């Protein structure tokens, strides 16, 4: 017991000290690597401390089963062939946000730019452009340089989805899911743009896979890692803010369904939230003097700040919030399944004046969501 307590105190001291150092550095003009070192140390210490000395990381089945291995390799190569070639010219032109991100990344390579754990233009987190900067430094200021990180993340999402689906439903489901993602026109499109939206499915798949490992193994460290993955996703695009609440909702559902173990699942939710808090501390420290920047993007885009404009769009009055929400949900749903995206959307987010998903894939997605909910 004494050895365990001493070990626990040691890891707790490392976590607290490294978190404080990262928070102080995040509030300064320190370079990314200087802030990232104590931040990542605190995350590693939390994971190792919670895992315990007897924890052994088992080799995933995809690394030892040859059918899974070759399936993952083949699907990942397919995803790369559809996302990596001719990034300079496909898609043609430069979208406005790509230019903004590229300009900020170029300024970072020249010693200027924004704090890495602050926000960039439109309230988007600045860590994304700091990741673009080394590519600009190595490849020069080109579209290929700032689009390559998106392409690599898009490719990496395919094996992540395979691993998650393999744990969830078996090899056939994993193969179909990864193939549909690898060949998804909309995923390919956004994997070839210097935009931060493509990071959301990456961290969603990663977080859910870690959460599934926790549900299977009943080890708290997986829940902590799932929270860390969801928290890091927060640094890229505001859409990733749904990842942690979604995973918490899954654990709360487990507590409701398995009432005899409700304390176990609520504790797991606590570890998940703790991991997210550790991951988010540098961002929260940086924005502590200007907390309004944390929601700048969502405040600008959020439906709750545009009732008048939406009322005019849907031929109703601003007080009819239920009707506006119903129309907006319907418009969004049909944009995925049967109708082109609304003409009110920005050009870069519209997809070839077609639904985001082909008819068969949209039907499969709807059925899949219903089955998962049940």
């Amino acid at each position: 017991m004494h050895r365990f307590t001493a070990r626990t105190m040691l890891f707790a001291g490392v976590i607290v000290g490294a978190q404080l150092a990262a928070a102080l550095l995040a509030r300064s003009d320190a370079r990314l690597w200087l802030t990232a070192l104590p931040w990542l140390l605190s995350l590693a210490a939390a994971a190792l401390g919670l895992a315990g000395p007897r924890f052994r990381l088992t080799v995933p089945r995809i690394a030892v089963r040859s059918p899974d291995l070759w399936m993952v390799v083949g699907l990942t190569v397919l995803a790369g062939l559809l996302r990596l070639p001719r990034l300079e010219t496909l898609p043609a032109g430069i979208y406005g946000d790509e230019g903004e991100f590229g300009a900020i990344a170029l300024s970072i390579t020249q010693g200027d730019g924004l704090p890495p754990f602050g926000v960039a233009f439109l309230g988007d987190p600045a860590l994304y452009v700091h990741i673009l900067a080394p590519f600009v430094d190595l490849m020069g200021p080109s579209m290929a340089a700032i689009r390559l990180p998106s392409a690599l993340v898009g490719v990496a999402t395919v094996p992540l989805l395979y691993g998650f689906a393999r744990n969830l439903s078996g090899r056939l489901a994993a193969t179909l899911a990864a193939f549909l993602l690898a060949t998804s026109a909309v995923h390919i499109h956004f994997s070839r743009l210097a935009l931060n939206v493509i990071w959301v499915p990456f961290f969603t798949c990663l977080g859910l896979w870690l959460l599934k490992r926790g549900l299977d193994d009943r080890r708290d460290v997986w829940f902590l890692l799932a929270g860390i993955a969801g928290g890091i996703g927060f640094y890229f695009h505001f859409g990733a803010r749904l990842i942690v609440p979604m995973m918490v909702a899954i654990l709360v559902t487990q507590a409701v369904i398995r009432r005899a173990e409700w304390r176990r699942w609520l504790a797991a939710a606590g570890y998940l939230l703790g991991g997210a808090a550790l991951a988010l501390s540098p961002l929260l420290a940086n924005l502590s003097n200007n907390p309004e920047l944390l929601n700048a993007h969502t405040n600008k885009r959020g439906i709750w700040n545009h009732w008048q404009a939406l009322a005019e769009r849907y031929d109703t009055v601003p007080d009819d919030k239920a009707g506006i929400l119903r129309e907006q949900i319907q418009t969004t749903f049909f944009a995925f399944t049967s109708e082109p995206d609304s003409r009110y959307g920005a050009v870069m987010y519209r997809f070839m004046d077609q639904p985001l998903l082909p008819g068969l894939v949209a039907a499969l997605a709807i059925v899949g969501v219903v089955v998962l909910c049940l």
Side-chain angles (χ1 to χ4, degrees):
M1 181 63 69
H2 176 72
R3 289 179 60 188
F4 175 77
T5 302
R7 182 180 184 276
T8 301
M9 294 299 294
L10 174 62
F11 277 99
V14 172
I15 294 168
V16 172
Q19 281 278 307
L20 288 174
L24 291 173
L25 290 168
R27 291 171 57 88
S28 68
D29 295 328
R31 302 292 293 272
L32 173 60
W33 67 268
L34 189 59
T35 308
L37 282 177
W39 177 54
L40 295 176
L41 176 62
S42 71
L43 301 182
L48 291 172
L50 191 58
R54 297 182 180 180
F55 180 76
R56 294 293 181 269
L57 181 62
T58 57
V59 178
R61 286 177 292 178
I62 59 172
V64 296
R65 292 179 179 267
S66 57
D68 287 312
L69 176 62
W70 288 109
M71 199 65 69
V72 167
V73 170
L75 291 168
T76 304
V77 170
L78 174 62
L81 292 174
L82 295 173
R83 288 162 177 78
L84 293 171
R86 299 182 62 186
L87 286 172
E88 187 74 27
T89 56
L90 287 177
I94 302 173
Y95 295 125
D97 287 11
E98 287 188 295
E100 291 284 354
F101 283 135
I104 298 172
L106 180 61
S107 69
I108 292 172
T109 65
Q110 297 170 346
D112 299 320
L114 302 165
F117 291 94
V119 295
F121 81 107
L122 297 179
D124 277 333
L127 184 60
Y128 170 67
V129 288
H130 279 266
I131 289 176
L132 298 185
F135 290 86
V136 174
D137 202 23
L138 290 172
M139 301 171 62
S142 65
M143 292 307 298
I146 60 174
R147 286 175 171 176
L148 183 57
S150 294
L152 294 174
V153 168
V155 172
T157 307
V158 171
L160 273 182
L161 178 60
Y162 186 96
F164 169 55
R166 180 69 170 86
N167 271 91
L168 188 67
S169 301
R171 185 181 300 151
L172 178 60
T175 302
L176 289 174
F179 175 77
L180 290 174
L181 183 65
T183 59
S184 167
V186 67
H187 194 268
I188 294 169
H189 178 69
F190 285 104
S191 295
R192 301 180 65 90
L193 293 173
L195 300 175
N196 50 1
V197 294
I198 202 62
W199 293 76
V200 177
F202 174 85
F203 282 105
T204 301
C205 291
L206 178 59
L208 289 175
W209 192 5
L210 293 168
L211 178 64
K212 184 60 170 60
R213 291 297 302 269
L215 293 171
D216 290 340
D217 298 349
R218 303 290 186 98
R219 297 298 298 257
D220 293 329
V221 65
W222 294 116
F223 301 119
L224 179 84
L225 291 172
I228 289 173
I232 294 176
F234 203 104
Y235 285 95
F236 291 89
H237 187 264
F238 69 91
R241 300 181 184 193
L242 293 174
I243 299 174
V244 171
M246 178 173 61
M247 293 191 293
V248 169
I250 292 172
L251 292 173
V252 171
T253 302
Q254 292 291 312
V256 173
I257 294 174
R258 304 180 182 184
R259 296 180 182 178
E261 299 179 287
W262 66 270
R263 290 184 179 86
R264 175 75 185 84
W265 300 117
L266 291 184
Y271 284 117
L272 194 148
L273 290 171
L278 291 175
L280 286 171
S281 61
L283 175 67
L284 299 178
N286 181 274
L287 298 181
S288 59
N289 291 332
N290 298 290
E292 67 278 0
L293 295 177
L294 188 65
N295 293 317
H297 200 147
T298 50
N299 289 337
K300 182 175 181 179
R301 302 285 185 180
I303 192 172
W304 50 84
N305 289 329
H306 300 281
W307 297 113
Q308 180 64 46
L310 290 169
E312 295 173 2
R313 182 185 306 180
Y314 298 127
D315 194 24
T316 184
V317 294
D319 290 337
D320 183 21
K321 292 182 171 56
I324 293 173
L325 287 172
R326 184 174 59 252
E327 291 288 342
Q328 185 64 36
I329 292 171
Q330 179 177 294
T331 298
T332 303
F333 176 80
F334 285 124
F336 276 91
T337 57
S338 60
E339 299 292 335
D341 194 11
S342 167
R343 63 184 176 86
Y344 294 96
V347 174
M348 76 178 71
Y349 294 114
R350 298 186 66 183
F351 182 67
M352 299 172 60
D353 289 321
Q354 297 292 323
L356 292 170
L357 298 176
L360 176 60
V361 177
L364 290 173
I366 294 170
V367 171
V369 169
V370 172
V371 170
L372 283 175
C373 289
L374 293 175

